[in-house]
Amino acid sequence: MANIKLYFSSFLLVITMFWLGETPLFAQPADYIEIIKELPAETQFETVKTSVEKYFNRFNTDSEKNKNGYKLWKRWEWFANQHLDPDGKVGSWTIKSEEALLAVNSLPALNNVNGGWSSAGPGSISNGQDFLGRTESVAFHPTDPNTLYVGSGTGGLWRTSNLGGSWVALTDNLPSLSIASVVVQQNNPNIIYILTGDGDGGTNWGYYVKERSSGVFKSFDGGNTWQTTGLNWNRADAARYGFKLIQSPTNSSILMAATSNGVWRTTDGGNNWIQELTGEYSDIIFAPNNANRVAAIPYASSILRISTNGGADWVNKTIPAGTVGTTRSMLAVTPAAANNVYIMMGREGDSTIRGYYRYSWSGDDFTLITNTPNIFGNASNGSGNGGFPWWAIAVAVSPTNSNIHLAGGIIGRRSTNGGVDWAAAHPSAMHADLHGYYYHPSGTAVYSTHDGGISRSADNGLTWANITSGMRLNQYYRISTTPQNLNAVLGGTQDNGHHVRYSNTSAFKWTLTCCDGMDNAIDYTNDQIIYMCTQDGGLNRSTDGGDTWAYISPFRTGTTRETSSWVAPIKLHTTTVTTLFYAGNTGIWRSTNSGLSNWVNIGADGKGAMAQGTSFNSRMYAAGIGTTLRKSDNINDASPDWTVISGNLNWPTSGNLSGSTITGLAVNPDNSSDVWVVFSGYNATTKVYRSINAGNTWQNLTGSLPNVPVHTIAFQDQGTSNGNYEVYVGTDIGVFYRSNSSANWGYFSNGLPRVMVTDLEITNNYLYAGTYGRGIWRSLLYDNCPINSTYSATYNSERIFQASGTINTTITVTGTLGANVWMQAGDYVQLNPGFEAKAGGIYTAKAAPCGAVLLPEMQAVQPKKEEERP
């Protein structure tokens, strides 16, 4: 249970202000985060976009915009735009995903009998640093220095037992893959706690992109299985996020959590929690070796809250920092100066440093250590404005030397005189945008979490080594494959450029090292020729498999290059590989010599998606960012003609399109009149549409798909134009499959983590999926059910098995959350000696033919809470 305990005699009132007109009702917004937070929750997203873009228009250059977070905003705008309710507001996507997963139980469950999903990587980068995705938090095994746990923003919790030599994912099937903080119990390292719902990037505006917290989970077996604790939030109730989870230095049953919903405390190992403080809190710490002293700091506040009785009672201490406002602050302590709390504060308005302060427990006073240089910016000398501590902020002090301090924002910095002077300390082994420094308690090493993974230093932050290899956390926007090489795959990622592989290995090669990686393509006659887009349409080409590359975006006028949407589509002509299409802001551009020159604007809007027929290669379909779809039947001519085909017979009505946008197109390679369209948003009846006459009339094939955005579609070539089809769609909760011989959609996600699938590609017999948080995955294509099957493995994730005749099984279903196994066979399912379904897992057996609906008649054993023993 979770009780509320209030100790305040007065409360902070949140005043809602508006900035929608030319004259704001407050002086000037400090940053775009403030704009979003101060808009009412019922504001339509188009209004949000207008307000934020108006803020960024005050900057004269793209460089100044990016220093103040413009690229972060564009990422979140892209994500939010795909998750709109029919009323135009951003939907609570984590809630809707949970509802959709429940609805999946009523769908036919399709087992890929030849394989199922497995990770394709990347697990390492062969020609550069292993920047494999964002990490947030670190916790250490108390007796084994080689074992540590790392929480990521969108890829769950990971464990290494050999200092990063290899990693194991531990939470792929929990309700949340967003880990804000992790704690390992010091007197029993098998007991681990995780606080979900990473709070980086803002708190009460986080519903635009972030995954809400489900509270705190607990493991009794080193992270292999999990169960809920008393801090078990229903994400449908409110948008809550986590920042920090800490454990008492003297009593392992006492933990405290700093969240966007206050500070919570448990004294019985997580069974019961009490809310000790209300409001948003970005950090909390125990004093070293003193369980009575606790300090917590609210988000965007000049108040440090102090407790001297273990968090039961609190007093306010005002940090004397003048009248300038604060964004986010972080705290640090060290046994080498146990009387001190160090406070790194972000400055409101320009996101520079407001000040680095020291609070003394004994003196009960504050000292300003320094307010220079700009800790959060990207200039090595700390000059200039810029930075975004609401996203990237880190600070720590060596546990053995109180003069060595580490801090950073976009880049890392180091001080050897107690935080007075700072030098840049951001080697190539560390990615930009830092989220934390974590010293091993022994002081022998310090770890940095950042947007590329995790790095380790054995000399107090002077030199660093990247130890991310083996994690698979990258957030992919788009991927590409080629029939020339079934193992080749190219992908564009958030923050970490493009990666490519040419053999069946998890070792990828870095191809475009800058920027965010977006859409891409592989030449289908020569897999060494690849095309890669960066954010907003920067187009590049390589002829040597990505070792070198050249910028080839078309020139709009003179020396001005064309730009595009955040994820700009590109496409190779289906039969003339040297012809390339690029969807720009002013229209679709075509080059007939592989993008080197000869760019011509051929009209239409393709920033949403483009698709071209093979059987009739003069036909192209193009969609803008919205719901307008066009067709051209002379795409190879000097000046193609375009016809709007959205709105034709049986196209969804305007009401059923509200909040939706076209996210993908697919064309039957054997019949260019057979076109498929998929939609984002939360219109329950508008997910997939098909036309078999080039858009003259439409058929709604949404069917039983759950109400989540559909991001991509892949059409499996049948080698025939007779109307048969097999298609796959990628959604927020995985992959679904449908064929002309099936009555409806089936869930095709065996072994796939519960993660958003942004792109699908088919090559030969394989289906590749690009995910937004767990890298690239591969599965054999759907195959018909076997007659008889035998299964004997151990499963701690969701699996579905079918047979037209019989299933014999000796499987073990573990007791972790998400260990859900379904089996159905036409004749019978036989459980043989050795079969075990542990408490906490879910096992369902059913006598039914292949493809039959799975009923929610689960033989579920509710997880029991184990008593913690000393």
Side-chain angles (χ1 to χ4, degrees), residues 229-458:
T229 69
L231 196 61
N232 181 22
W233 286 331
N234 183 345
R235 295 193 286 186
D237 292 342
R240 305 181 182 97
Y241 302 94
F243 285 96
K244 188 75 163 291
L245 186 65
I246 59 174
Q247 180 178 242
S248 167
T250 59
N251 186 338
S252 60
S253 293
I254 297 176
L255 294 97
M256 301 190 73
T259 77
S260 66
N261 189 42
V263 171
W264 295 77
R265 182 168 67 114
T266 178
T267 59
D268 58 7
N271 290 330
N272 297 279
W273 295 77
I274 295 174
Q275 187 179 19
E276 301 288 1
L277 297 173
T278 59
E280 304 172 75
Y281 284 81
S282 58
D283 207 358
I284 187 170
I285 53 94
F286 276 105
N289 303 318
N290 188 334
N292 289 320
R293 290 178 171 179
V294 192
I297 193 159
Y299 200 99
S301 172
S302 297
I303 300 296
L304 183 70
R305 303 204 192 277
I306 294 295
S307 174
T308 57
N309 61 356
D313 298 289
W314 297 81
V315 295
N316 294 349
K317 303 293 180 180
T318 302
I319 303 170
T323 59
V324 178
T326 303
T327 54
R328 181 177 169 191
S329 301
M330 294 285 282
L331 307 176
V333 294
T334 173
N339 194 50
N340 297 332
V341 177
Y342 299 91
I343 312 151
M344 182 63 72
M345 305 180 72
R347 177 187 177 95
E348 188 178 65
D350 58 14
S351 294
T352 59
I353 182 174
R354 172 172 172 173
Y356 188 41
Y357 290 85
R358 179 177 63 242
Y359 172 76
S360 168
W361 289 100
S362 58
D364 192 23
D365 58 6
F366 292 92
T367 301
L368 173 63
I369 301 174
T370 187
N371 56 13
T372 59
N374 178 15
I375 293 292
F376 304 115
N378 61 357
S380 294
N381 63 1
S383 63
N385 296 334
F388 19 86
W390 38 265
W391 171 254
I393 181 173
V395 64
V397 184
S398 167
T400 58
N401 185 340
S402 62
N403 285 317
I404 298 179
H405 294 226
L406 304 176
I410 297 177
I411 68 172
R413 305 183 194 275
R414 184 173 184 264
S415 172
T416 58
N417 61 358
V420 176
D421 300 299
W422 296 85
H426 193 74
S428 61
M430 197 183 301
H431 195 286
D433 297 352
L434 308 187
H435 298 281
Y437 286 109
Y438 296 86
Y439 268 98
H440 192 278
S442 66
T444 56
V446 60
Y447 297 80
S448 170
T449 55
H450 46 71
D451 275 4
I454 181 168
S455 301
R456 181 180 186 271
S457 172

Side-chain angles (χ1 to χ4, degrees), residues 117 663-666 676-679 687-689 701-702 704-706 708-716 726-738 745-749 752 756-762 767-769:
W117 291 96
T663 52
L665 302 172
W676 296 68
V677 186
V678 294
F679 297 88
K687 304 298 177 188
V688 181
Y689 272 71
L701 291 179
T702 299
S704 58
L705 281 177
V708 292
V710 179
H711 303 289
T712 180
I713 182 169
F715 188 100
Q716 183 178 340
E726 291 185 78
V727 291
Y728 303 81
V729 295
T731 74
D732 271 8
I733 62 170
V735 178
F736 294 82
Y737 165 90
R738 183 169 183 167
W745 294 92
Y747 197 36
F748 190 74
S749 297
L752 191 67
M756 178 172 143
V757 175
T758 52
D759 204 7
L760 293 172
E761 287 284 324
I762 294 175
L767 177 65
Y768 283 86

Side-chain angles (χ1 to χ4, degrees), residues 551 553-562:
Y551 192 55
S553 288
F555 286 100
R556 183 169 67 248
T557 55
T559 58
T560 302
R561 288 194 181 269
E562 176 76 332

Side-chain angles (χ1 to χ4, degrees), residues 803-806 824-828 846-850:
S804 60
T806 65
Q824 63 184 42
D827 294 331
Y828 62 84
K846 180 182 177 184
C850 293

Side-chain angles (χ1 to χ4, degrees), residues 497-508:
H498 274 81
H499 309 121
V500 67
R501 78 170 194 185
Y502 289 104
S503 59
N504 190 16
T505 174
S506 64
F508 280 55

Side-chain angles (χ1 to χ4, degrees), residues 644-657:
V644 174
I645 58 174
S646 51
N648 287 347
L649 186 63
N650 296 328
W651 183 260
T653 63
S654 58
N656 287 332
L657 286 173

